[in-house]
């Protein structure tokens, strides 16, 4: 709808997908410009999608600077979007930001990174702060992107004990 500025186009596509019984997996990239729309997006599609990904962008590589959104700000809205929708997951955020949501987070474990980046070209991943040492998830966690910490600091990252 937004891309083609025609409200009927998405309805046509969804109707065709339903008719063909093609499941949906939707990805909502959380940016400074759109993150407040995440709850409405989830509400609109939660009953049609197998999974909805609230995707926090990387801070190096193609999405450098993370499109201006701090994880702290994004997580406030992501929490609202998760309510009442078991098929919504948060991507690219380590559990130290919100330990209570660990089971709803993806792409924070070392094995996950291989699926995303088999060439290991995303050099910003697998970076640890001194504060990560006491974390009980340190051996499994990818760490945090150095560029993010450079831009926003690391106040919101708390080791899990």
């Amino acid at each position: 709808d937004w891309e083609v500025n025609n409200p009927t186009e998405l309805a046509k596509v969804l109707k065709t997908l339903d008719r063909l019984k093609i499941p949906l997996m939707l990805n909502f990239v959380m940016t400074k410009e759109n993150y407040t729309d995440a709850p409405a997006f989830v509400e609109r599609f939660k009953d049609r999608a197998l999974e909805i990904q609230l995707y926090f962008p990387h801070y190096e590589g193609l999405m450098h600077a993370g499109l201006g959104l701090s994880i702290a700000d994004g997580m406030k809205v992501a929490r609202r979007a998760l309510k009442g929708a078991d098929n919504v997951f948060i991507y690219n955020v380590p559990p130290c930001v919100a330990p209570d949501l660990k089971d709803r987070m993806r792409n924070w474990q070392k094995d996950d990174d291989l699926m995303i980046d088999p060439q290991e070209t995303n050099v910003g991943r697998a970076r640890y702060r001194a504060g990560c040492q006491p974390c009980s998830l340190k051996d499994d966690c990818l760490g945090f992107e150095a560029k993010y910490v450079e831009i926003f600091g690391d106040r919101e990252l708390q080791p899990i004990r």
Side-chain angles (χ1 to χ4, degrees):
D1 288 3
W2 301 281
E3 189 67 33
V4 296
N5 200 22
N6 182 341
T8 60
E9 287 304 309
L10 181 60
K12 288 179 191 176
V13 169
L14 291 174
K15 187 174 181 179
T16 300
L17 292 173
D18 287 345
R19 184 175 49 80
L20 297 173
K21 296 183 177 12
I22 296 174
L24 293 176
M25 182 178 285
L26 301 173
N27 186 335
F28 185 94
V29 178
M30 304 281 283
T31 70
K32 191 172 188 172
E33 289 75 28
N34 75 356
Y35 77 104
T36 58
D37 295 331
F41 181 87
V42 167
E43 185 60 33
R44 182 173 185 186
F45 294 109
K46 70 182 181 183
D47 296 328
R48 305 188 91 101
L50 290 175
E51 180 176 307
I52 298 173
Q53 302 173 359
L54 300 180
Y55 189 93
F56 283 77
H58 296 289
Y59 289 81
E60 296 189 21
L62 294 176
M63 298 182 118
H64 72 82
L67 306 176
L69 178 65
S70 76
I71 289 176
D73 289 342
M75 286 301 293
K76 290 174 193 168
V77 173
R79 281 182 180 282
R80 288 198 329 259
L82 290 172
K83 289 183 180 170
D86 293 338
N87 59 339
V88 179
F89 298 92
I90 299 166
Y91 278 69
N92 300 327
V93 175
C96 62
V97 173
D100 60 311
L101 297 176
K102 177 182 166 228
D103 293 338
R104 304 288 293 272
M105 294 178 171
R106 304 289 185 266
N107 291 355
W108 64 269
Q109 293 176 297
K110 289 179 180 171
D111 290 345
D112 291 338
D113 200 42
L114 296 177
M115 292 189 306
I116 306 166
D117 193 7
Q119 307 295 317
E120 295 187 37
T121 55
N122 188 353
V123 296
R125 298 297 291 243
R127 300 285 192 245
Y128 301 96
R129 318 172 291 116
C132 295
Q133 289 307 314
C135 185
S136 64
L137 301 176
K138 181 182 65 159
D139 292 338
D140 292 324
C141 187
L142 287 168
F144 212 75
E145 296 181 29
K147 193 68 169 179
Y148 178 88
V149 174
E150 199 177 291
I151 296 167
F152 295 104
D154 64 0
R155 290 178 301 283
E156 62 202 285
L157 312 174
Q158 301 300 318
I160 297 172
R161 299 176 198 258

